[in-house]
Amino acid sequence: MRHPAGPADPPAPPDGPTGSGSVTALGSGASAAPASGFAPALAPGERATLRLRENPPPGTPHAEHPPHPDNPPHSDNPPHPDDPPRYAPEWLRLREPADAAARAHDLLGPLRAHLKGRTPPTGGLVVHDLGCGTGSMGRWLAPRLDGAQHWVLHDRDPYLLHFAAAGAPRASADGGHVTVETLRGDLARLTPDALSGAALVTASALLDVLTAEEVGTLAAACAAAGCAALLTLSVAGRVELDPAHPLDAEITEAFNDHQRRTGLLGPDAVTAAGEAFAAHGVTVRAHPSPWRLGPDEAGLTAQWLRGWVGAAIEQRPELRARADAYLDERLAACADGTLGVVVHHTDLLALPRPTGGTP
């Protein structure tokens, strides 16, 4: 669902959302510096430029979200079959506060400790964010890590990359300079060379829409490059609604089956990713990261309910009559503030072991 751009929307670039060109970022916290280095600090008031690379070099990672009930695509302009999947920035903005509250803060301590001795003496920390969407992961994590940082934002949709670039953070936890570039690429071609110089790979709500082969490629590339990975908000296959309803379990089961369609991992993603990273000698930590939705999140809850029930019906059409009535009842409870929802997710932190030691 798309709406006219409002005050919170960043301006479109001069050449439009699908063309190759540059995007002027708000403020001075962005730079066109390549992933291997950092641009010099800008003069006060100087505006930086971000380059959107439309045609990436061979081996560049490409992270895409296939159509996914938790990430509704735009619906007003039917896509061309060759177009990348597109998610409404309005939906991504709606879920961003819940994502930020849910992410596992307990994993930040081990991550900071790991990165402390791995930041180059010159330049700063290089982070690759796969399937970045509108850039919510960078906005959450960059201000929680110390030192200068350069974020390489990957997504298949150039429209979302423009939003991510314009909304990128400007400073780290200790005031270090944060720079950004955007890239389009192919996750299936992710190689250690593509991650050369990177200290960290991040992704949010990505693992569960990958296949086992794609997760294996990601784990192998991170392990060979010696970089850590923080992969957040993978669906866990469990939902709690209060008050309970007799149809909850059947809808959940149908939704989980839908998640596993066409070979995608769905709720099995964290287990598969943990095993894939561990096979490369990487230390893996997992931590719950549930959405906890109450009356203050009614807008998000209503949109999530529509996607959740809709996916269940798509998977099992025989559910339609009962599921439609169920959805109406749940939306009414959401509107009057009497519905509580916990959507379980899991965050995964993968830390490479240094030679002869532990992370």
Side-chain angles (χ1 to χ4, degrees), residues 1-104:
M1 179 172 60
R2 293 178 65 186
H3 306 285
D9 294 321
D15 56 353
T18 59
S20 176
S22 61
V23 183
T24 302
L26 306 177
S28 60
S31 169
S36 58
F38 289 79
L42 299 172
E46 185 176 350
R47 295 168 69 85
T49 299
L50 292 135
R51 176 66 59 178
L52 177 77
R53 296 196 211 166
E54 193 73 14
N55 298 305
T60 301
H62 164 78
E64 66 178 86
H65 293 277
H68 188 295
D70 280 348
N71 290 308
H74 296 312
S75 58
D76 56 344
N77 293 316
H80 185 276
D82 294 332
D83 287 346
R86 175 169 288 183
Y87 300 108
E90 294 81 10
W91 163 254
L92 298 178
R93 281 198 298 269
L94 185 63
R95 66 173 288 171
E96 186 166 346
D99 287 350
R103 289 192 180 99

Side-chain angles (χ1 to χ4, degrees), residues 9 12 65 91 102 105 129 146 161 163 179 188 217 243 273 285 320-321 338:
D9 294 321
H65 293 277
W91 163 254
H105 289 245
D129 187 23
D146 288 335
L161 285 172
F163 281 86
T179 58
T217 297
R285 304 169 192 242
R320 178 171 296 278
T338 59

Side-chain angles (χ1 to χ4, degrees), residues 96-348:
E96 186 166 346
D99 287 350
R103 289 192 180 99
H105 289 245
D106 288 354
L107 296 179
L108 290 177
L111 176 61
R112 291 190 193 104
H114 173 83
L115 295 175
K116 189 173 183 180
R118 290 166 172 79
T119 301
T122 58
L125 193 72
V126 176
V127 183
H128 287 253
D129 187 23
L130 306 180
C132 68
T134 58
S136 65
M137 175 61 110
R139 285 189 291 275
W140 179 79
L141 184 58
R144 289 172 168 81
L145 300 178
D146 288 335
Q149 300 168 36
H150 182 70
W151 283 68
V152 186
L153 307 178
H154 302 265
D155 202 284
R156 189 174 184 180
D157 188 343
Y159 182 70
L160 294 181
L161 285 172
H162 289 304
F163 281 86
R170 307 176 190 180
S172 66
D174 60 359
H177 195 53
V178 175
T179 58
V180 173
E181 68 175 292
T182 61
L183 277 177
R184 297 178 68 191
D186 190 346
L187 183 61
R189 296 199 308 254
L190 186 66
T191 66
D193 287 344
L195 299 178
S196 178
L200 177 63
V201 166
T202 64
S204 187
L206 177 67
L207 284 182
D208 46 67
V209 293
L210 299 181
T211 65
E213 182 180 0
E214 289 168 334
V215 166
T217 297
L218 172 61
C222 291
C227 62
L230 179 63
L231 309 169
T232 68
L233 297 171
S234 298
V235 294
R238 292 181 294 113
V239 175
E240 300 171 28
L241 295 98
D242 183 20
H245 187 286
L247 204 55
D248 290 346
E250 196 169 354
I251 296 291
T252 299
E253 183 180 355
F255 174 82
N256 289 343
D257 288 344
H258 187 275
Q259 289 276 279
R260 297 183 177 103
R261 70 202 183 283
T262 64
L264 302 183
L265 287 168
D268 307 317
V270 170
T271 298
E275 292 173 352
F277 277 98
H280 293 281
V282 173
T283 298
V284 177
R285 304 169 192 242
H287 199 283
S289 53
W291 274 357
R292 300 187 184 277
L293 309 179
D296 291 342
E297 295 80 27
L300 174 60
T301 303
Q303 292 285 31
W304 171 82
L305 276 167
R306 293 185 180 100
W308 185 60
V309 175
I313 294 172
E314 183 178 325
Q315 183 67 25
R316 300 185 188 176
E318 68 275 12
L319 283 175
R320 178 171 296 278
R322 289 184 295 145
D324 283 347
Y326 171 91
L327 178 60
D328 289 343
E329 182 180 333
R330 288 308 201 182
L331 288 174
C334 179
D336 65 22
T338 59
L339 180 66
V341 178
V342 179
V343 182
H344 289 275
H345 303 95
T346 306
D347 289 2
L348 183 146

